[in-house]
Amino acid sequence: MRNASFYAGLKLGLPIMIGYIPLGFAFGVLAVKNGMDAFWAVMLSVFVFAGAGQFIAVSMLGAGASFLSIGAANFLVNLRHVLMSAALVLPWKHLPFSWKIFLSYFQTDEIFAANISYHKSGGEVTVTQVLTLALVAQSGWILGTFLGAVSGGLISNVEALGLDFALPAMFTALLVPLLVDRIQIIVCLTGAVLSLCFMEAGFDRWSIIFATLLSASLGLYLSLQKEKN
């Protein structure tokens, strides 16, 4: 039982770990170039593990922003985790409360998507499975951060290596397998279009939050209509 859960988590975590290495590398390079010591860059990936939030933090630090501004920016960007947490209520309902608190720390977008996909496929969600997935994935982020931080001075342009595209590429790879029916495809396309529209309208980081709320509401409406019919 425990071995099966471990291997399930390992299978889910390895692709994310591989994808996280170039992302962590890009973050490590960016952190060092913005004046952060390599040691603290790695520690940030160990104790914060926030992905986009870490990129925002080091970029704002490099620009001389205050800690209050950095905190506010991260608060806005990470409001999506409220919705993600709500989505995990059902898959995690049988897990001990103390473990839910601890495991919530690891729920990046990619790990969340893997957990939801595993639950929808009928896999048995256990603490061992969720924790293994999380630790394996984070190890790639930490390793990438370390490699980028120690070699940051040797790289002048991260975009030239294509590392800036690693994040959207991973999101796309995680999203596509979840689109298994018409409603999910409609919600996905609606969210993408609304996000772009809100961005063009000047909503900046709020665009993702508004697009998510509206497209999710549309998905709920369509699901209710489908049940009635």
Side-chain angles (χ1 to χ4, degrees):
M1 171 67 177
R2 183 168 295 181
N3 285 341
S5 295
F6 170 77
Y7 286 118
L10 185 65
K11 183 179 179 180
L12 291 167
L14 280 174
I16 300 177
M17 181 193 75
I18 295 171
Y20 271 174
I21 292 176
L23 289 174
F25 185 90
F27 167 72
V29 172
L30 182 64
V32 171
K33 287 188 174 297
N34 279 282
M36 181 174 287
D37 184 80
F39 172 79
W40 290 114
V42 174
M43 289 299 100
L44 198 62
S45 289
V46 172
F47 293 109
V48 178
F49 190 35
Q54 290 181 229
F55 279 97
I56 292 170
V58 296
S59 297
M60 292 182 71
L61 280 174
S66 67
F67 286 107
L68 181 61
S69 299
I70 295 171
N74 269 276
F75 175 77
L76 293 178
V77 169
N78 290 309
L79 277 175
R80 68 190 188 281
H81 285 275
V82 175
L83 300 176
M84 291 161 59
S85 298
L88 287 171
V89 169
L90 182 60
W92 286 13
K93 65 179 181 179
H94 59 286
L95 300 184
F97 181 72
S98 57
W99 275 107
K100 290 179 184 179
I101 295 175
F102 178 68
L103 293 172
S104 64
Y105 160 76
F106 297 98
Q107 295 313 300
T108 63
D109 299 88
E110 297 80 15
I111 294 175
F112 165 78
N115 277 316
I116 290 294
S117 179
Y118 180 70
H119 170 69
K120 287 186 175 181
S121 68
E124 184 176 1
V125 178
T126 66
V127 169
T128 301
Q129 173 261 313
V130 178
L131 183 61
T132 302
L133 160 60
L135 293 178
V136 170
Q138 188 186 19
S139 68
W141 183 261
I142 295 172
L143 175 61
T145 301
F146 171 77
L147 295 175
V150 298
S151 61
L154 304 176
I155 300 174
S156 58
N157 187 0
V158 176
E159 293 182 2
L161 300 177
L163 295 177
D164 58 315
F165 186 68
L167 187 60
M170 179 180 291
F171 279 141
T172 303
L174 288 167
L175 174 64
V176 171
L178 297 175
L179 305 178
V180 296
D181 63 32
R182 183 174 63 90
I183 292 178
Q184 291 173 343
I185 294 173
I186 291 174
V187 171
C188 175
L189 294 177
T190 301
V193 171
L194 288 177
S195 180
L196 291 173
C197 290
F198 285 135
M199 185 69 72
E200 289 297 319
F203 285 89
D204 199 20
R205 295 187 179 92
W206 283 97
S207 62
I208 297 176
I209 298 170
F210 290 151
T212 300
L213 290 172
L214 290 174
S215 58
S217 299
L218 173 63
L220 177 61
Y221 171 77
L222 294 175
S223 296
L224 293 174
Q225 291 298 112
K226 183 178 180 181
E227 291 179 2
K228 289 180 180 179
N229 297 330

